[in-house]
Amino acid sequence: MPYLDAGGARMTDCSFRRFFPGERHVTRRFSQGVLLLLLEGTLYFEEEGVPAAVSQGEWYIQRPGLLQTGERGSPSPFYFYIHFEGDFREEDGGPDLRLPLSGRFRRESLLPLLEALARCRQEAAERQAFQDSLFHSILYLLYSSDQEGRNPLAYQILKAVSSRLDQPFSLSSLAEELGYCEDYVGRVFRRQYGVSVGRYLARLRLQKARQLLRDTEKSIRQVGAEVGYPDQTQFYRLFRRETGLSPSQWRAGERDGGRN
């Protein structure tokens, strides 16, 4: 089953959309991914001839390059769509946020973010960094919704780690907070996600650091502090180990358009 690498996805367009009664999905092969979030009704379409239906409270990701058709009219669905560029992987688990192609979401949690993203899209290009942040917040909420029904303790650990990117972190302190021994917390997380808690946190921090380096003018020291590494030497060493480049070299490459 394919998964979207949510951490590396970049939004290009978005909007609310309502079909008129009986309107059909457009026939196309689109070059980008499309995230559909159904707020009302049901949207019908086919991908490579296979029928699909997305109903209220469900999300669906249309992968790029697939033939989409609309043989059946839809009963006035209301939804939010996001066009994006991103990578798809076949395997689950691992340190990245790998989002399934479909699932359920809570409208009350997402709607304020969708409205903010739609407003942001209509404003000036300098809001790109804020726009990207909103998009990734939406993807993270979808990812969290998907994980919630799995191992409850592993999900608790995931939420706690993901919310502490800019704070000192200790697995022993987290284990004490959750009421379990440190070794057990580490084993549960690795069994569920295929990576240690420390490695997962480091990867999330470096993903956030790359976004800040690419989209802001903050200094290397400021970026390191915002992702939990106030020691600039430690931040430099970890960043270089992960990317093969220093933070300043990586930023220069991104702005020259030569590196993803």
Side-chain angles (χ1 to χ4, degrees):
M1 174 180 176
Y3 292 79
L4 169 67
D5 181 357
R10 297 293 304 275
M11 192 194 88
T12 60
D13 194 15
C14 69
S15 185
F16 289 99
R17 174 84 156 83
R18 186 183 293 277
F19 274 27
F20 59 78
E23 184 176 353
R24 299 183 180 188
H25 191 287
V26 66
T27 296
R28 66 181 181 183
R29 287 188 187 273
F30 195 48
S31 61
Q32 297 183 348
V34 183
L35 171 61
L36 302 170
L37 297 141
L38 263 291
L39 302 171
E40 297 175 13
T42 302
L43 176 66
Y44 298 108
F45 57 93
E46 300 81 37
E47 282 190 321
E48 298 293 349
V50 179
V54 191
S55 298
Q56 179 175 321
E58 296 178 343
W59 90 76
Y60 187 93
I61 296 176
Q62 297 176 326
R63 285 177 291 161
L66 298 183
L67 177 62
Q68 299 156 4
T69 56
E71 298 296 326
R72 177 181 179 182
S74 299
S76 302
F78 177 55
Y79 61 94
F80 192 85
Y81 69 82
I82 300 176
H83 296 169
F84 66 90
E85 297 173 344
D87 295 327
F88 291 84
R89 304 167 185 255
E90 292 298 324
E91 72 276 14
D92 191 3
D96 297 322
L97 298 182
R98 297 186 185 172
L99 183 68
L101 301 188
S102 62
R104 296 196 59 82
F105 66 92
R106 296 185 180 93
R107 176 183 172 128
E108 61 274 16
S109 298
L110 275 187
L111 191 55
L113 286 173
L114 301 181
E115 291 171 340
L117 187 57
R119 288 195 302 271
C120 184
R121 186 61 182 162
Q122 297 169 2
E123 296 175 358
E126 55 262 27
R127 299 295 301 277
Q128 181 68 45
F130 180 52
Q131 177 177 291
D132 287 343
S133 176
L134 286 171
F135 175 45
H136 283 95
S137 295
I138 290 167
L139 292 179
Y140 177 72
L141 280 175
L142 295 180
Y143 177 79
S144 298
S145 297
D146 178 67
Q147 297 298 314
E148 195 168 3
R150 303 189 185 189
N151 187 306
L153 177 57
Y155 177 65
Q156 280 185 283
I157 300 167
L158 178 80
K159 286 201 302 181
V161 170
S162 301
S163 65
R164 302 177 188 188
L165 300 189
D166 61 343
Q167 303 170 25
F169 178 81
S170 162
L171 183 58
S172 60
S173 296
L174 175 61
E176 183 178 353
E177 179 184 321
L178 295 174
Y180 296 92
C181 71
E182 180 179 349
D183 182 62
Y184 180 70
V185 167
R187 287 202 315 272
V188 166
F189 191 87
R190 181 181 286 277
R191 187 165 57 243
Q192 179 69 46
Y193 300 112
V195 66
S196 70
V197 175
R199 181 62 174 158
Y200 177 80
L201 176 61
R203 290 294 299 273
L204 280 186
R205 284 175 165 173
L206 288 173
Q207 284 180 1
K208 178 65 174 178
R210 287 194 290 265
Q211 182 263 315
L212 291 172
L213 290 169
R214 183 184 63 229
D215 297 329
T216 76
E217 298 300 328
K218 293 179 179 180
S219 69
I220 304 300
R221 185 179 297 277
Q222 286 175 309
V223 170
E226 285 197 26
V227 297
Y229 299 116
D231 182 338
Q232 189 172 6
T233 301
Q234 182 189 23
F235 176 55
Y236 179 95
R237 184 174 65 251
L238 291 171
F239 194 96
R240 191 174 188 88
R241 185 179 68 189
E242 180 71 19
T243 67
L245 299 171
S246 70
S248 57
Q249 288 171 331
W250 191 91
R251 169 179 269 172
E254 276 290 298
R255 295 185 173 183
D256 287 342
R259 192 174 299 274
N260 293 322

